[in-house]
Amino acid sequence: MPSLLDEKVSPIYQEVLARNPGETEFHQAAREVLESLGPVLVKHPEFAQHKIIERICEPERQIIFRVPWRDDKGEVQINRGFRVEFNSALGPYKGGLRFHPSVYLGIIKFLGFEQIFKNALTGLPIGGGKGGSDFDPKGKSDDEVMSFCQSFMTELYRHIGEHTDVPAGDIGVGGREIGYMFGQYKRITNRWEAGVLTGKGLDWGGSLVRTEATGYGAVFFVDEMLKARKDTFEGKICSVSGSGNVAIYTTEKIHQLGGKVVTCSDSNGYIYDEKGIDLALMQQLKEVERRRIKDYTQYRKHAKYIAKGNIWEVPCQVAMPSATQNEINGADAAMLVKNGCIAVGEGANMPTTPEGVKVFLEAQIAYGPGKAANAGGVATSALEMQQNAERNSWTFDHTEKRLQEIMRNIHELCYETSIEYGTPGNYVNGANIAGFIRVAKAMVAFGVV
Ligand code: GLU
């Protein structure tokens, strides 16, 4: 394990381990935040007195439920559904739903925990939560996805609401799934309640820029880190992993800013296109036809498909992991740095292992951890909620400007906090500490609740 835990924080972490056995991703996410918090307790003894860290590590509510549905053959299938309502100090629980076979309580808790601090960094009134299911949308028909989503919402609806808990998308949950769930919520409750879900379609309460927001926001964040080092994206070779919503719009924005993205990937392998990824082709394959990225080489003959390869072996100056957790380990991080990587912006949640984070921090490259770099998605969800509340919809330009302003503010807050706490340029500390302090202050104000 990388750095040490402060002596006041260490027993709290031991308690997290003991109370949450087997939830390794949650342990990792909790440890990563707790490692930053020792100096905060020195400056703010009231947080220790009120046991704020202990309270933050315990979700306010955890819901686990059965999701029965019928597949196309008429057979009954059973999945497990989750919603972890982690912290509502700053607003209604807010965070996505992940549908992926790897989902279990430990994954949802790591995501929900990260979401608390990420959402706090946006400065918008949103608490932290996360949910999902071990349902695998891969290879399922539209009917099967609808049947699953309806069953999932038939339980979830009683726990959510515009002032209570507002789910959205994550891996495996996009516009199609949000549509089926919104439809079922409306049917059960007899309420056209736009504010209950975000990531909605543009004709029924959605916000422009929400689809692009996580990717665009991550690129804006890296752009700010580069600017702080008197550099830009112009002419940079960039490596992006993944081929979902985050990867697609990360690639688009990098190309707009003059960089060149040469990779994309899925769980089977990666594409290397030295001329730069053809975004229209990637969108057609992934968003429209829901195909695997190996088919990319059928249309771009010079591009290479490397099955089961390691995408981080491709030399790049900027790396933007946009697939999933723990996709960059210590050796991958060392290889990136050795090959000339100067900036990393995490579009995915916790894509770098603790060993990898240590490598980036020691090399003093510009490293933007997910809870800061990918906060643009949830921030734009909060903008969608604002538009819903005023029964209004903003233009693309206006919404994108708001997103850019929010990412700039998050960068500044993390940077300033990293200086205040004696680790200038360490965005891990900056993000953890700044996010924590916002939540902690509200919790102190509310008393023991
Ligand atoms: N799933 C996204 C995240 O990891 C977005 C959540 C939301 O919009 O509520 O932050």
Side-chain angles (χ1 to χ4, degrees):
M1 273 290 168
S3 53
L4 290 173
L5 282 171
D6 178 271
E7 57 175 27
K8 280 201 217 56
V9 176
S10 182
I12 305 176
Y13 181 64
Q14 294 310 320
E15 189 68 19
V16 168
L17 294 181
R19 287 171 72 84
N20 305 281
E23 297 173 5
T24 49
E25 295 82 1
F26 175 48
H27 301 163
Q28 183 184 335
R31 182 174 178 118
E32 195 253 351
V33 171
L34 265 48
E35 278 175 1
S36 300
L37 298 185
V40 181
L41 294 184
V42 177
K43 275 202 190 183
H44 294 274
E46 72 277 15
F47 295 160
Q49 189 197 333
H50 292 272
K51 295 223 164 41
I52 297 298
I53 304 182
E54 290 89 329
R55 279 199 263 161
I56 278 190
C57 289
E58 183 68 19
E60 290 176 15
R61 191 175 300 107
Q62 310 184 53
I63 304 147
I64 305 183
F65 51 99
R66 180 173 68 194
V67 189
W69 57 282
R70 254 182 225 283
D71 66 18
D72 286 345
K73 294 195 213 88
E75 256 176 61
V76 177
Q77 301 286 342
I78 294 111
N79 285 101
R80 187 172 286 178
F82 301 89
R83 186 73 185 166
V84 173
E85 298 180 333
F86 229 117
N87 194 294
S88 59
L90 296 179
Y93 310 105
K94 183 82 198 83
L97 299 169
R98 176 176 292 192
F99 293 169
H100 191 270
S102 64
V103 163
Y104 76 107
L105 188 58
I107 294 267
I108 300 301
K109 277 166 72 174
F110 117 62
L111 291 163
F113 188 73
E114 292 249 298
Q115 202 86 46
I116 304 170
F117 307 100
K118 182 197 308 195
N119 294 5
L121 288 173
T122 68
L124 298 163
I126 40 179
K130 203 87 185 191
S133 173
D134 57 2
F135 174 75
D136 186 0
K138 208 177 349 175
K140 301 283 192 301
S141 69
D142 279 355
D143 273 352
E144 289 176 325
V145 171
M146 180 172 74
S147 164
F148 174 81
C149 288
Q150 289 179 340
S151 180
F152 186 84
M153 186 51 86
T154 301
E155 173 58 34
L156 189 67
Y157 88 95
R158 70 189 82 246
H159 306 290
I160 62 176
E162 62 176 319
H163 301 295
T164 314
D165 183 355
V166 184
D170 195 82
I171 294 173
V173 178
R176 174 181 62 169
E177 292 74 17
I178 294 292
Y180 293 146
M181 288 191 275
F182 188 72
Q184 184 74 349
Y185 182 86
K186 184 172 76 62
R187 185 174 194 194
I188 296 174
T189 60
N190 195 29
R191 282 167 67 88
W192 204 102
E193 185 186 335
V196 71
L197 288 173
T198 60
K200 297 182 295 295
L202 295 177
D203 297 324
W204 38 278
S207 170
L208 286 162
V209 194
R210 177 62 193 89
T211 310
E212 295 85 353
T214 311
Y216 279 18
V219 176
F220 290 146
F221 190 88
V222 173
D223 195 39
E224 291 298 316
M225 293 199 298
L226 290 171
K227 275 193 204 137
R229 295 171 176 233
K230 315 240 172 305
D231 205 346
T232 69
F233 263 104
E234 192 64 49
K236 297 266 183 314
I237 302 294
C238 307
S239 184
V240 175
S241 65
S243 49
N245 163 277
V246 181
I248 288 173
Y249 295 99
T250 293
T251 301
E252 180 168 79
K253 187 50 79 181
I254 290 177
H255 286 171
Q256 285 173 14
L257 296 186
K260 181 160 83 170
V261 176
V262 293
T263 60
C264 63
S265 66
D266 62 19
S267 52
N268 297 351
Y270 76 87
I271 294 286
Y272 173 61
D273 184 342
E274 61 175 348
K275 295 190 182 159
I277 290 292
D278 179 336
L279 191 68
L281 173 57
M282 187 174 164
Q283 283 181 292
Q284 179 65 27
L285 289 174
K286 296 302 298 185
E287 287 182 329
V288 182
E289 299 175 23
R290 295 180 192 274
R291 287 161 69 181
R292 307 299 290 172
I293 52 111
K294 87 169 171 353
D295 294 350
Y296 183 95
T297 53
Q298 288 175 16
Y299 307 90
R300 297 266 285 181
K301 299 284 183 212
H302 64 271
K304 291 189 179 66
Y305 175 67
I306 295 96
K308 292 283 159 225
N310 182 355
I311 190 170
W312 308 118
E313 70 200 6
V314 175
C316 64
Q317 291 151 297
V318 178
M320 301 207 50
S322 308
T324 195
Q325 67 272 357
N326 293 329
E327 51 171 310
I328 298 182
N329 63 25
D332 300 330
M335 186 157 54
L336 280 165
V337 172
K338 185 173 138 276
N339 287 339
C341 179
I342 55 155
V344 175
E346 296 184 337
N349 291 314
M350 206 170 73
T352 311
T353 65
E355 295 75 18
V357 174
K358 187 166 179 252
V359 170
F360 292 145
L361 293 179
E362 280 178 5
Q364 299 196 344
I365 65 165
Y367 169 59
K371 63 172 83 64
N374 73 40
V378 76
T380 309
S381 277
L383 300 183
E384 182 173 331
M385 292 161 73
Q386 282 185 22
Q387 293 167 78
N388 293 154
E390 62 183 44
R391 296 184 186 273
N392 196 0
S393 43
W394 306 340
T395 63
F396 193 95
D397 269 9
H398 174 75
T399 316
E400 189 184 12
K401 281 206 184 78
R402 292 283 309 264
L403 167 63
Q404 189 164 14
E405 197 177 281
I406 291 166
M407 297 314 295
R408 214 176 271 144
N409 290 342
I410 295 176
H411 175 270
E412 193 178 300
L413 177 66
C414 295
Y415 194 71
E416 297 298 324
T417 307
S418 77
I419 294 172
E420 189 187 332
Y421 280 82
T423 53
N426 180 329
Y427 294 98
V428 175
N429 278 342
N432 288 340
I433 295 172
F436 173 80
I437 288 177
R438 278 195 175 150
V439 180
K441 282 187 174 164
M443 289 176 73
V444 170
F446 297 159
V448 182
V449 287

